[in-house]
Amino acid sequence: MLEAFGGFWGMVDTTVPGLVFVLIYTIQRDIHTAAIIALGLTVLLALARLARRETLKHAFSGVFGVAIGAVFAMMSGDAKNFYLPGMLYTLGLAVVYVLSALFKYPLIGVLLGPILRENLSWRTRNPGRFKAYTKSTYAWGFILLAKSAILFPLYWWGDATQLGWVKVALGIPPFLLCVYLTWIFLAKAPAPIDVIAEMEAKEKESSVSGA
């Protein structure tokens, strides 16, 4: 379950550059130095993934996010803007989670369905899993909304150092809580329907009957 959402290295990719930025900025109060070093570290993490032949999805999203944040911070002269793109992304993602659950296409089910070989069969053939995916999606949405409710007031009224350290502190724990709740909900749900195996069996039957 953890690997499906990025795993250990996904947490490193999304947390360490922000930690490095706030650490260097706290010591030197130099936005450009902090932003460039954080961006360079993100690129190194992506190259390390490439060398290990791992998926680059999370690494590239990390590079992209840090690059935008670095540009925002350096152009505005405000270190808090380094974190703004990530905060807006988190808020937007939280809204998408909640809306997808409301419209009965819970995003967690859409994401995990292909990985678990059930695709979207849970919507019509497995009501127990549909309920579990809906609960999981709401959990992700509300937890990310709570995270945004803490960070945005700091962005508006706090200083860059406060925002940076709190954002780092709120990086991994909410993510792990979301993954844990998803695991709990799915562990209590019926097993997934392996629609891939069903399709393969039908194809095999067709080939046998045709022969």
Side-chain angles (χ1 to χ4, degrees):
M1 184 66 69
L2 185 62
E3 289 300 321
F5 293 104
F8 171 78
W9 287 109
M11 291 188 287
V12 170
D13 292 336
T14 56
T15 303
V16 172
L19 173 61
V20 169
F21 177 86
V22 70
L23 181 62
I24 294 175
Y25 181 75
T26 300
I27 296 172
Q28 296 190 351
R29 295 290 169 176
D30 187 327
I31 295 175
H32 287 73
T33 300
I36 291 172
I37 292 177
L39 180 58
L41 177 60
T42 308
V43 173
L44 287 177
L45 289 172
L47 292 175
R49 273 186 178 265
L50 185 62
R52 293 193 302 268
R53 300 174 182 262
E54 297 178 356
T55 176
L56 295 178
K57 178 177 67 174
H58 298 284
F60 279 142
S61 63
V63 171
F64 185 68
V66 172
I68 293 178
V71 171
F72 273 31
M74 289 188 289
M75 290 185 65
S76 66
D78 187 346
K80 289 189 291 186
N81 286 330
F82 177 82
Y83 301 101
L84 183 59
M87 291 166 55
L88 292 174
Y89 174 78
T90 297
L91 178 59
L93 188 58
V95 172
V96 170
Y97 274 123
V98 173
L99 290 179
S100 70
L102 284 173
F103 286 102
K104 301 188 183 305
Y105 270 94
L107 186 57
I108 296 299
V110 174
L111 295 174
L112 291 183
I115 296 174
L116 299 177
R117 295 171 62 89
E118 59 182 330
N119 293 340
L120 296 180
S121 62
W122 47 267
R123 290 200 74 247
T124 55
R125 300 173 57 189
N126 203 334
R129 289 189 72 79
F130 176 79
K131 185 177 180 181
Y133 281 137
T134 301
K135 287 182 179 180
S136 301
T137 301
Y138 274 128
W140 280 79
F142 290 141
I143 288 171
L144 293 183
L145 283 175
K147 179 178 176 179
S148 297
I150 295 172
L151 291 177
F152 274 98
L154 283 174
Y155 175 79
W156 289 320
W157 297 300
D159 60 38
T161 302
Q162 291 174 329
L163 175 62
W165 287 114
V166 172
K167 191 173 187 304
V168 169
L170 290 178
I172 294 177
F175 170 76
L176 292 179
L177 177 59
C178 289
V179 173
Y180 174 73
L181 290 175
T182 300
W183 177 74
I184 289 293
F185 293 141
L186 292 181
K188 296 179 180 179
I193 299 172
D194 193 337
V195 295
I196 305 299
E198 291 180 348
M199 292 169 55
E200 291 172 347
K202 287 181 180 179
E203 289 178 1
K204 187 175 181 179
E205 282 182 20
S206 299
S207 61
V208 170
S209 59

